[in-house]
Amino acid sequence: MLNDGQPLESVSLKNVTIDSGFWGERQTTNRDRTIPAIYHQMKITGRLDAWKLDWQPGQPKPHIFWDSDFGKWVEAVGYSLATHPDPELEAQADAVIDLIEKAQQPDGYLNIFFTAVEPQHKWKNLRDWHELYDAGHLIEGAIAYYQGTGKRKLLDVLCRYVDYIDTLFGPNEGQKRGYCGHPEIELALVKLYRVTGEQRYLNLSKYFVDERGQAPHYFDIETIERGDDPRNFWAKTYRYCQAHVPIREQTSAVGHSVRAAYLYSGVADIVAETGDPVLRDVSRALWDDLTQHQMYITGGLGPAHANEGFTFPYDMPNETAYAETCAAIALVFWAQRMFNIDPDSKYIDVMERALYNGFVSGVSFEGSHFFYANPLASYPNVNPFERWSGIVVENRHYQRSEWFDCACCPPNLARLIASIGSYFYSTTADTLYVHLYNQNHAEFQLGGTAVSLEQQTHYPWDGNIRFKVGVNHPAWFNLALRIPGWCHNFRLEVNGQAVEANPVRGYANLAREWANGDEVVLSLDMPVERVAPHPEIRQDAGCIALQRGPVIYCLEEVDNGKHLANIAIPRTAQLTAQFDPDLFNGIAVIEGDAVRIEPSRWPGGLYQPQSQLDYEPTPFSFRAIPYCFWANREPGEMLVWVRER
Amino acid sequence: MLNDGQPLESVSLKNVTIDSGFWGERQTTNRDRTIPAIYHQMKITGRLDAWKLDWQPGQPKPHIFWDSDFGKWVEAVGYSLATHPDPELEAQADAVIDLIEKAQQPDGYLNIFFTAVEPQHKWKNLRDWHELYDAGHLIEGAIAYYQGTGKRKLLDVLCRYVDYIDTLFGPNEGQKRGYCGHPEIELALVKLYRVTGEQRYLNLSKYFVDERGQAPHYFDIETIERGDDPRNFWAKTYRYCQAHVPIREQTSAVGHSVRAAYLYSGVADIVAETGDPVLRDVSRALWDDLTQHQMYITGGLGPAHANEGFTFPYDMPNETAYAETCAAIALVFWAQRMFNIDPDSKYIDVMERALYNGFVSGVSFEGSHFFYANPLASYPNVNPFERWSGIVVENRHYQRSEWFDCACCPPNLARLIASIGSYFYSTTADTLYVHLYNQNHAEFQLGGTAVSLEQQTHYPWDGNIRFKVGVNHPAWFNLALRIPGWCHNFRLEVNGQAVEANPVRGYANLAREWANGDEVVLSLDMPVERVAPHPEIRQDAGCIALQRGPVIYCLEEVDNGKHLANIAIPRTAQLTAQFDPDLFNGIAVIEGDAVRIEPSRWPGGLYQPQSQLDYEPTPFSFRAIPYCFWANREPGEMLVWVRER
C-alpha cells in the first residue's frame, strides 16, 4: 500500500489543531514564553535594531548570523499565528519587517553585517561567513510569515534578494561558482519554489547542491583571492562543511552536524522534486550511516565540540556530548523529507526519537532557557563546551542559558515547536498517514474528499490512541497508522471489533470505507525497556538506558542523590512506570530497585584491592524522569546510561 | 625506630650497582638507546648548535626551553657515567659544555633564546618564558656531571649564573621580586647548596618559594610593565602555576601538574634543610590531597590537556588522560623528598607506583620512542592531546614518538632511569632503609661502619628477595625493609630462621648485630589483585584494575582482539599470573576468564531493547600485560580499567 507512487504531502499545520497533550503543552509554553523571550533577547542584544544598518565604528559589532536569528524567529511567529492569531506579536514582526524592507539594497542584497559593518567583505568568504545561510533562514521565515498571515512584504523582499543571488551564483560566464559553507539555503530555495512556482529557485538549489565539493574547489579559489592559503582553514578539512567531495560521492555523515543534516534535507527535497535516482541512493546511504553509526539514543547528533559534529562510528561520549539542539532539529527536518522520498516509518522512528528527547531537552520546562549542547550525562565541573578551562568552580553544573552569542538554537527550537502539527500527518490521494500521536483534531482533503480525524490519547505517557473519523458521507481511504519501531505488540479495533493489520514498512493499513463517527482504537504496548547499546559503543559498555514508548529516561541527582555513576540496576530488578500528576504537569516516571556503593563506607584512599574490602553495594529505589525534562529542578548530576549488574 | 630525628641520607647511585633485573634492563636500554637517541634528536633539531648563539633572522627559532633539554640530558649523562664510564659519551657532553661556557655572558647570564634571539625580552615574562626553569635544569645537569665525572666546568658556569641571578632577584631595594612561572630552580638551588655549601643558594631557593603568590602579584606587575593586561593570561588563573596564593596558604594540588610537583619537591627540600614546621604541614596536606584525590592508579598526574594538569577531585578520564611522563617523574622526586622529611613508606608506595607504571610507560621497550601523555585507555582515533581534530584518520592509534617540539619528557625520563639507584636506599647513622627491590649490590657507611648489601630477586615478577649482608666485622644496625602497601602478607627469615617484625610506618626493622654473610629472606605475597576504584571516580565505576605487586596491568588488542570496552571479568573468575620468558625479556602476565559481547552477533542498529535480544556474552580467556609495556607490539586498543560482572 505504501509508496505506490502517489505524491506524498505533509499536512499543513493550519489543518492540525493541537490544544493539549505533550505537544499542546509545549506549544502553549512556546507561544507564552519562548517566542516572547527570544524577541526580548534579540531586542536587548541589538539584533532587531541592527536592521536599521546604522552601526558605527566603536559600537559592538553585529554578528554575521544575526539575520538568521530573526529569520527563524519570524518563521516561528508565522507558524504560531497560523493557528493562534496574536495582533501584538504580529505587530512586533511587522515592525522589523518594515526595517528589513528598507535595509534591502537597490540590487536586492540584504544582510546586516555585510551592508552596515564590512561591506568590503561581501561575498568574499562563502566558506565561513554565512551570507547565503542568512538568506536561507530569511527565506524560510518569509514563507512561514506569508502562510501564517497572508502578508507578502517579507516574501517579496526575499524573492528580490534571491533573484539577485541567482544572477551572482551559477555555472555561467561571469557567475561565481560558489555555495555556502553552512548549507541551509538549499532547502529554503525548494520551499520558495513550492510557494512561488518559480523554477529558477529550484534550479538554484540544485546548482548549490551539485556544485558543492567540485574541483577546482571554490573555497580554495576564494581563499587565494583573499590572499590567504587554503591550508590555513581553521577546521582543517572541507569535511567540516560537507564540501570535501561532491554530494553524489558522499557515503558517510561527516563534519558539522547541523550543516550536514540541513544539506541532506535539501538533497532529499531535490529528490522529491526531481526523482533523481543517484541523490536518492546517496540520501539513503547517508541516512543509514548516520542512524546506524553516529546517533545518540536521544536523537542527538555530533559528539564533538571541536567541529560541532561527527567524529567516527560508535563514538558516543556522554558527558562531553555536543549533540547540539539545532542538530536534533535538523534531523527532524531530514527525517520528514526522507519519508517523503522513501515512505517508511523507520524515518519517523528517528524523527520521534529526536522530537521527544534530544530536541525538547533544548528548552527549559518554563520555556525561556536553552541548551546549546545536550549531553547524556552531567557532572559538576564538566561542561560539554570545554572539557576543562583551567578554572575550578566547585559544583558548577551545566545548565540552560537565557541566550547565546551564537543564538541559533533558541529560535530554531521555537519554529519547530510552533510547526509540530505539520509533522503529524501525510496524505496521498487515498491514504492518510498518521505519523505522530497526540491529542489533536485535523482536517484533510483526500482525493477531493474532506476527512477529519480526532486523536484522543495520553501519548507518550500511555500507548492507547482513540481515533474518531469524520466524513460528510462514507468514503473509501486507507488510514495508515504508524506502529512505532519501539513497539513490539499492538492491538487495533475498529468500532469495537478487533482487526488484524500486519504493518507494511511500519504502518498498519486500514483501507476501507469509512463512515462518519467511526472509531479506531490503537493500543501500543508500552513496557519499560532496558535498552542495550551497540557493542562497539565503548562509552556505554555494560550500561542500559531506560526507554518507555519513544521517551528516553534519565536519572537526576535531585531524585537519586549524588554519584550517579555509582548506581547499578540489577538485571533482575522490576522496573515500573508510574504516572506522576504533579511532576511537569503530569508525566510517567520509571521506578525500580538499584544498588550503589556508598562513598561514606569506603575505607579511604583512591584504590583498594577487593580482597581488602568487605562491603556490598547498598540497595535503594531509583527514580528516572524523561531525559527531555532534566535540569529543570535543582542543579545536579544526570545520567542516561546506567550500569547494569 | 623510624624518624628518630637522625638525618636521613639517600644513598648515592655511585654506591649502588644494578646490573640486571627490571631496572638493570631499563638502565641498559637507557645507556644503549635512549641517551644516544636524545643526543641525536637534539643534534638534528639544532638544540646543541644553538649554544653557538649564532641564530639569524629567518632561521627556525630556538625554543625558550631548549636549554633545559640539554640540562636534563647532561644530567642523565652524569648519572650514567658515574656507574658506567663511556669516553665517547663524555666527549659529546664536553663539546657542548665548551659551547655553553663560551655562551655565558660577561655578567653571568646564560640562555640561548634570550641571548641569541630576543635579548630585548630578557627577564620580561617570568610567568611564561621559563628562563629560571632553564637555569634550574642546567644547574641539576651541572651537578650530576660534576658528580659523575669530577669535571667542574659546567658547575662553575652555573654557579656564576646563579650568583648573577641572586643579585637580580630578591626582597632588597633594586631587586626584582620575581620567581619562575615554571618551578624547578627551587629544588635545583637546594642541590647546588648541598654540593657547594653556599648558603646564598639555599636562601635564594627559600626566597623563590616564599615570594610565590605574594601580593602585589609579581606576574601582574611584569605583565603591566609589558603593556599587557593580566586578565589576558591565557591560562586564566595563577592556579595554573601554583602562584594563586603563597605556598603557606596552599592546601590542594592545582594547575599544571609538573610545575606543581617540582614546586612541592623544592618545598620539601627546604623543610629538610630548615625544619620549617609550616612548610612541613603544607607539604603533608598537599601530598594527601594529591594522592587521595588526584592520582591515577598508574601514578599519573593531571587528567587534562588544557592546563596539562589537575582538574578536580576524583576526575580520572582514561582515554583522554594527560598524565604527562614528566608529572610521574616529578611525583617520584617529590615522594623521595617527602620520605626524607617524614619517613614513612607511604611515600615510597606512591613512588613505586609511579616508577613501575606511569613513568616507565613513557619510553618504548626498545628505548627510542616516547609518550608525552600516558592515557589509561586507548582507542583508534582518540588522542589524549586533542579530543577531536576535525579530521578522521581511520584506525589512527596513539603511539610513542621519537621526539617532541617541547621535548621535556625524553631527557627527564633518561635522567631518572640513569639515577634510579639513588632511590633504592636511605641511611641514618644506624639504620639502613631498603625502599626498592631489584637485583643489586650496594655499599654504605653507617655511622662509620662499612656495610654492603646484595639483593637477589626477580621482583617485581615475584615477591621473594634474598639479602646478603657484608661487614668487615660484626656490627649492630637496623636493617629496615620496606613492606609495600600493596602487600598484605609477608614472611621474614634471618639465616634460615623465621623472625617476626611488625612493620612500623611501613618498614620491618631488623635491628641486631650483623655478621658478614648473614642472609635475610623477605617473602612478599604477590597475588593478582582486583583493585576497586574510589566510589567517586565516575569514569571507573563498575570496573576493576588488575595489579600484582607494584605493577598495574592492562589489556591490549594484540592479545585480546578489538572492542576491549566490551570485555567483562566475572567476579568469580580465577586470575593467574604466569611468567612469560619470551615477552619483554621475561615478565609476568595475568590470565583469566572473561566474557564479551561479540559485535558480529548484534542484530543491527545502534540500540536494541534487551527484551528483543537473545544472546549471552561469549566466554574467552584474556591476557593482561604490565601497563608500562603497552604499545610496544602492534598498534591497537588498550584498557586498564576493565568492567567487572
Side-chain angles (χ1 to χ4, degrees):
Chain A
M1 200 72 69
L2 217 62
N3 196 16
D4 52 3
Q6 296 185 40
L8 269 161
E9 284 186 37
S10 299
V11 172
S12 164
L13 61 97
K14 275 195 176 179
N15 295 343
V16 183
T17 307
I18 307 168
D19 286 330
S20 58
F22 185 93
W23 292 112
E25 291 170 20
R26 302 285 85 69
Q27 287 202 323
T28 302
T29 303
N30 196 46
R31 283 193 306 272
D32 294 350
R33 304 296 302 272
T34 308
I35 291 174
I38 295 168
Y39 180 84
H40 173 71
Q41 292 291 340
M42 289 199 300
K43 184 76 192 168
I44 64 175
T45 57
R47 278 164 168 77
L48 302 181
D49 291 334
W51 285 109
K52 294 176 185 164
L53 305 183
D54 58 357
W55 177 82
Q56 295 296 325
Q59 294 177 345
K61 278 192 185 179
H63 290 191
I64 53 173
F65 24 67
W66 277 10
D67 316 50
S68 70
D69 296 337
F70 176 78
K72 282 183 275 189
W73 179 80
V74 80
E75 187 180 345
V77 170
Y79 297 143
S80 186
L81 294 177
T83 53
H84 291 77
D86 178 340
E88 193 186 337
L89 179 63
E90 191 166 333
Q92 284 179 338
D94 284 340
V96 182
I97 290 168
D98 287 345
L99 292 179
I100 292 177
E101 186 184 36
K102 292 193 190 112
Q104 186 162 39
Q105 302 298 297
D107 58 6
Y109 188 73
L110 182 68
N111 184 290
I112 296 169
F113 187 86
F114 293 103
T115 306
V117 184
E118 296 187 2
Q120 72 279 20
H121 290 143
K122 199 189 287 187
W123 304 127
K124 289 288 190 295
N125 186 345
L126 296 188
R127 187 190 71 192
D128 298 333
W129 288 348
H130 290 68
E131 273 162 296
L132 291 170
Y133 165 88
D134 283 333
H137 276 305
L138 286 171
I139 293 166
E140 287 201 274
I143 294 168
Y145 198 70
Y146 162 64
Q147 291 176 325
T149 65
K151 294 179 178 172
R152 312 192 38 112
K153 184 184 282 184
L154 189 59
L155 185 62
D156 290 340
V157 166
L158 268 297
C159 285
R160 283 195 293 274
Y161 187 18
V162 174
D163 291 342
Y164 171 62
I165 291 170
D166 189 41
T167 65
L168 284 180
F169 295 97
N172 301 319
E173 189 68 27
Q175 288 184 306
K176 291 173 189 281
R177 297 190 69 110
Y179 45 88
C180 194
H182 196 315
E184 145 63 20
I185 196 169
E186 295 79 0
L187 71 90
L189 286 170
V190 178
K191 269 194 192 179
L192 190 62
Y193 156 70
R194 289 173 180 163
V195 169
T196 62
E198 179 55 72
Q199 181 74 31
R200 280 186 297 115
Y201 301 155
L202 177 62
N203 291 347
L204 183 58
S205 174
K206 283 156 58 179
Y207 165 76
F208 282 142
V209 162
D210 266 325
E211 186 63 24
R212 193 171 204 86
Q214 299 288 351
H217 205 289
Y218 184 77
F219 295 163
D220 285 350
I221 294 167
E222 64 164 14
T223 303
I224 292 163
E225 283 178 1
R226 288 196 308 274
D228 198 356
D229 185 332
R231 285 170 299 188
N232 295 337
F233 181 33
W234 68 270
K236 299 180 187 166
T237 163
Y238 294 146
R239 293 167 73 95
Y240 172 73
C241 37
Q242 298 80 41
H244 51 307
V245 292
I247 186 70
R248 289 167 195 274
E249 299 168 26
Q250 296 192 25
T251 55
S252 59
V254 299
H256 187 284
S257 50
V258 180
R259 296 176 194 229
Y262 281 178
L263 173 63
Y264 308 154
S265 296
V267 171
D269 280 336
I270 288 171
V271 174
E273 295 300 333
T274 66
D276 188 310
V278 175
L279 289 183
R280 187 188 302 268
D281 288 348
V282 165
S283 295
R284 284 178 175 146
L286 292 170
W287 178 270
D288 287 347
D289 175 65
L290 186 146
T291 58
Q292 301 292 307
H293 304 127
Q294 308 201 71
M295 181 182 67
Y296 281 103
I297 194 169
T298 56
L301 302 184
H305 176 222
N307 64 345
E308 301 189 293
F310 299 108
T311 58
F312 50 87
Y314 307 113
D315 185 34
M316 304 280 170
N318 290 304
E319 279 181 10
T320 57
Y322 200 65
E324 186 181 334
T325 302
C326 285
I329 293 167
L331 180 58
V332 170
F333 295 163
W334 188 26
Q336 186 186 39
R337 286 162 170 84
M338 288 303 295
F339 180 87
N340 285 340
I341 65 171
D342 185 20
D344 190 311
S345 77
K346 71 180 184 181
Y347 301 109
I348 311 299
D349 285 344
V350 168
M351 185 171 93
E352 190 180 46
R353 182 187 291 279
L355 282 173
Y356 281 104
N357 302 293
F359 162 60
V360 166
S361 60
V363 62
S364 60
F365 184 73
E366 52 73 41
S368 63
H369 289 72
F370 307 95
F371 274 145
Y372 203 109
N374 293 273
L376 279 76
S378 188
Y379 197 81
N381 307 313
V382 180
N383 184 316
F385 283 93
E386 36 175 329
R387 176 59 184 81
W388 180 246
S389 67
I391 303 174
V392 170
V393 181
E394 294 293 338
N395 291 315
R396 181 184 63 170
H397 285 87
Y398 180 60
Q399 303 218 256
R400 294 185 184 86
S401 302
E402 282 190 302
W403 198 240
F404 309 95
D405 267 4
C406 174
C408 51
C409 298
N412 213 356
L413 192 141
R415 68 174 174 149
L416 179 49
I417 292 183
S419 61
I420 195 71
S422 64
Y423 294 84
F424 275 45
Y425 302 100
S426 302
T427 55
T428 66
D430 60 6
T431 299
L432 169 53
Y433 291 107
V434 185
H435 303 309
L436 298 180
Y437 301 118
N438 194 91
Q439 291 279 114
N440 78 95
H441 177 88
E443 311 271 351
F444 312 89
Q445 289 289 330
L446 289 181
T449 306
V451 176
S452 73
L453 194 70
E454 179 95 20
Q455 286 193 34
Q456 291 175 3
T457 178
H458 290 112
Y459 195 93
W461 312 127
D462 80 35
N464 301 317
I465 308 108
R466 178 179 300 268
F467 302 88
K468 195 176 228 168
V469 175
V471 281
N472 292 328
H473 46 80
W476 190 98
F477 63 89
N478 175 25
L479 181 64
L481 301 178
R482 176 170 158 264
I483 307 304
W486 55 258
C487 177
H488 306 298
N489 289 294
F490 70 96
R491 289 164 303 287
L492 263 176
E493 287 179 11
V494 176
N495 295 328
Q497 298 291 314
V499 296
E500 291 287 319
N502 284 330
V504 178
R505 302 192 85 189
Y507 288 80
N509 296 290
L510 301 173
R512 50 179 285 159
E513 189 171 79
W514 295 95
N516 195 43
D518 278 353
E519 280 205 349
V520 177
V521 175
L522 172 63
S523 302
L524 303 166
D525 278 4
M526 198 183 265
V528 177
E529 298 275 10
R530 298 160 173 259
V531 181
H534 188 286
E536 293 191 42
I537 305 176
R538 67 199 188 284
Q539 292 99 342
D540 301 335
C543 295
I544 52 169
L546 302 176
Q547 179 171 356
R548 181 167 176 272
V551 178
I552 305 298
Y553 281 73
C554 71
L555 273 61
E556 276 202 295
E557 181 177 331
V558 62
D559 297 312
N560 301 288
K562 283 184 194 297
H563 312 309
L564 297 179
N566 229 326
I567 293 174
I569 299 179
R571 214 165 268 266
T572 53
Q574 188 77 22
L575 306 178
T576 57
Q578 307 275 359
F579 189 76
D580 183 335
D582 299 323
L583 205 54
F584 301 118
N585 283 354
I587 60 166
V589 300
I590 295 175
E591 294 174 339
D593 292 334
V595 297
R596 69 198 322 163
I597 303 279
E598 298 286 353
S600 59
R601 299 190 54 203
W602 180 257
L606 278 168
Y607 310 103
Q608 290 289 351
Q610 281 186 346
S611 62
Q612 307 299 305
L613 291 174
D614 63 351
Y615 66 86
E616 285 295 305
T618 311
F620 82 108
S621 296
F622 78 87
R623 168 177 261 223
I625 67 157
Y627 169 78
C628 64
F629 291 137
W630 87 275
N632 276 300
R633 294 173 294 167
E634 296 169 19
E637 298 177 25
M638 182 277 291
L639 196 64
V640 169
W641 290 98
V642 187
R643 282 189 300 120
E644 197 179 48
R645 188 164 190 270
Chain B
M1 197 73 68
L2 218 62
N3 196 17
D4 53 2
Q6 295 185 42
L8 270 162
E9 285 184 37
S10 299
V11 171
S12 163
L13 62 97
K14 276 197 174 178
N15 297 341
V16 182
T17 307
I18 308 168
D19 286 330
S20 59
F22 184 93
W23 292 112
E25 292 170 19
R26 302 286 84 69
Q27 287 201 323
T28 302
T29 304
N30 197 44
R31 283 193 305 274
D32 294 349
R33 304 296 302 271
T34 309
I35 290 174
I38 296 168
Y39 179 84
H40 172 71
Q41 292 293 338
M42 290 199 300
K43 184 76 191 167
I44 63 174
T45 57
R47 278 163 167 79
L48 302 181
D49 291 334
W51 285 108
K52 295 176 184 163
L53 305 183
D54 57 359
W55 176 83
Q56 296 295 325
Q59 294 176 347
K61 278 191 184 181
H63 290 191
I64 54 173
F65 24 68
W66 276 11
D67 314 51
S68 69
D69 295 337
F70 176 78
K72 282 182 276 192
W73 178 79
V74 80
E75 187 181 345
V77 170
Y79 296 142
S80 185
L81 295 176
T83 54
H84 292 77
D86 179 339
E88 192 187 336
L89 179 63
E90 193 166 331
Q92 284 178 337
D94 284 341
V96 182
I97 290 168
D98 288 345
L99 292 180
I100 292 177
E101 187 184 35
K102 292 190 191 114
Q104 187 162 40
Q105 302 299 297
D107 58 7
Y109 188 74
L110 182 68
N111 184 291
I112 298 168
F113 187 86
F114 293 103
T115 306
V117 184
E118 296 188 3
Q120 72 279 19
H121 290 143
K122 198 189 289 185
W123 306 126
K124 288 289 191 291
N125 185 346
L126 297 187
R127 188 190 69 191
D128 298 332
W129 289 347
H130 290 67
E131 273 164 296
L132 292 169
Y133 164 89
D134 283 333
H137 276 305
L138 287 170
I139 293 166
E140 287 200 274
I143 294 167
Y145 198 70
Y146 163 65
Q147 291 176 328
T149 65
K151 294 178 178 173
R152 311 194 38 112
K153 185 185 281 185
L154 189 59
L155 185 62
D156 290 340
V157 166
L158 268 296
C159 285
R160 283 196 294 275
Y161 187 19
V162 174
D163 291 342
Y164 171 62
I165 290 170
D166 189 40
T167 65
L168 285 181
F169 295 97
N172 301 318
E173 190 66 29
Q175 288 184 304
K176 292 173 188 282
R177 297 192 68 110
Y179 44 88
C180 194
H182 196 315
E184 145 63 21
I185 195 169
E186 296 79 359
L187 70 89
L189 286 170
V190 178
K191 270 194 191 177
L192 190 63
Y193 157 70
R194 289 172 179 162
V195 169
T196 63
E198 179 55 72
Q199 181 73 34
R200 279 186 298 116
Y201 301 154
L202 177 61
N203 292 347
L204 184 58
S205 175
K206 283 157 58 180
Y207 164 77
F208 282 142
V209 163
D210 266 325
E211 187 63 24
R212 192 170 203 86
Q214 298 288 351
H217 205 288
Y218 184 77
F219 294 163
D220 285 351
I221 293 167
E222 65 165 14
T223 303
I224 292 163
E225 283 177 2
R226 290 196 308 274
D228 198 357
D229 185 331
R231 287 170 298 189
N232 296 338
F233 181 33
W234 68 271
K236 299 183 189 165
T237 163
Y238 294 147
R239 294 167 72 97
Y240 173 73
C241 38
Q242 299 78 41
H244 52 306
V245 294
I247 185 70
R248 290 166 195 274
E249 299 169 26
Q250 296 191 25
T251 55
S252 59
V254 299
H256 187 284
S257 51
V258 180
R259 297 176 194 229
Y262 281 179
L263 174 64
Y264 309 153
S265 297
V267 171
D269 280 338
I270 289 171
V271 173
E273 295 299 334
T274 65
D276 188 312
V278 175
L279 289 184
R280 187 187 304 267
D281 288 348
V282 165
S283 296
R284 286 179 174 146
L286 291 170
W287 179 271
D288 287 347
D289 174 65
L290 185 146
T291 58
Q292 301 291 308
H293 304 128
Q294 308 201 72
M295 181 181 68
Y296 281 102
I297 194 169
T298 56
L301 302 184
H305 176 224
N307 65 345
E308 300 190 293
F310 299 108
T311 57
F312 51 88
Y314 307 113
D315 184 35
M316 304 282 170
N318 290 303
E319 278 181 11
T320 58
Y322 201 64
E324 186 180 333
T325 302
C326 285
I329 292 168
L331 180 59
V332 170
F333 295 163
W334 187 27
Q336 185 185 41
R337 287 161 170 85
M338 288 303 295
F339 180 87
N340 285 341
I341 65 170
D342 184 20
D344 192 311
S345 77
K346 72 179 184 181
Y347 301 109
I348 311 300
D349 286 343
V350 168
M351 186 171 93
E352 190 181 46
R353 181 187 293 280
L355 281 173
Y356 281 104
N357 302 293
F359 162 60
V360 166
S361 60
V363 62
S364 60
F365 184 73
E366 52 74 41
S368 63
H369 289 72
F370 308 95
F371 274 146
Y372 203 108
N374 293 272
L376 279 79
S378 189
Y379 196 82
N381 307 314
V382 180
N383 184 315
F385 283 93
E386 37 175 327
R387 175 60 183 83
W388 179 246
S389 67
I391 304 175
V392 170
V393 181
E394 295 294 337
N395 291 318
R396 180 184 65 171
H397 286 86
Y398 181 60
Q399 303 219 253
R400 294 183 185 85
S401 302
E402 282 191 301
W403 197 240
F404 309 95
D405 267 4
C406 174
C408 50
C409 298
N412 213 356
L413 192 141
R415 67 174 175 149
L416 179 49
I417 291 182
S419 61
I420 195 72
S422 65
Y423 294 84
F424 274 47
Y425 303 101
S426 302
T427 56
T428 68
D430 61 7
T431 299
L432 169 55
Y433 292 105
V434 185
H435 303 309
L436 297 181
Y437 300 119
N438 194 91
Q439 291 278 113
N440 77 95
H441 176 88
E443 310 270 351
F444 312 90
Q445 288 290 328
L446 289 181
T449 306
V451 176
S452 73
L453 195 70
E454 180 94 21
Q455 286 192 35
Q456 292 176 2
T457 179
H458 290 113
Y459 194 93
W461 311 128
D462 79 36
N464 301 318
I465 308 109
R466 179 178 299 269
F467 302 88
K468 194 175 227 170
V469 175
V471 282
N472 292 330
H473 44 79
W476 189 98
F477 63 89
N478 175 24
L479 181 65
L481 301 177
R482 175 168 159 267
I483 307 303
W486 56 257
C487 176
H488 306 299
N489 289 295
F490 69 97
R491 288 162 305 287
L492 263 175
E493 285 179 13
V494 177
N495 295 328
Q497 300 290 314
V499 294
E500 292 287 319
N502 285 328
V504 177
R505 304 192 83 190
Y507 288 81
N509 296 290
L510 300 174
R512 50 179 283 160
E513 191 172 79
W514 295 95
N516 195 42
D518 278 353
E519 280 205 351
V520 178
V521 175
L522 172 62
S523 302
L524 303 166
D525 279 4
M526 197 183 266
V528 177
E529 297 275 11
R530 298 162 175 257
V531 181
H534 188 286
E536 293 190 42
I537 305 176
R538 67 198 188 285
Q539 291 99 343
D540 301 336
C543 295
I544 53 170
L546 301 177
Q547 179 171 357
R548 182 167 175 271
V551 178
I552 306 297
Y553 282 72
C554 71
L555 273 62
E556 276 201 296
E557 182 176 330
V558 62
D559 296 313
N560 301 286
K562 284 184 194 295
H563 312 309
L564 297 179
N566 229 325
I567 292 173
I569 299 179
R571 213 165 270 266
T572 53
Q574 189 78 24
L575 306 178
T576 57
Q578 307 275 1
F579 188 77
D580 183 334
D582 300 322
L583 204 55
F584 301 119
N585 284 353
I587 59 166
V589 300
I590 295 176
E591 294 174 340
D593 292 333
V595 297
R596 68 197 324 162
I597 303 279
E598 298 286 354
S600 58
R601 299 193 53 205
W602 181 257
L606 278 168
Y607 310 104
Q608 290 289 352
Q610 283 186 346
S611 62
Q612 308 299 306
L613 292 173
D614 63 351
Y615 67 86
E616 285 295 304
T618 311
F620 81 109
S621 296
F622 77 86
R623 168 177 261 222
I625 67 156
Y627 168 79
C628 65
F629 291 136
W630 87 273
N632 277 299
R633 294 173 293 167
E634 295 169 21
E637 298 178 26
M638 181 275 293
L639 195 64
V640 169
W641 290 98
V642 187
R643 282 189 300 120
E644 197 179 48
R645 186 163 192 268

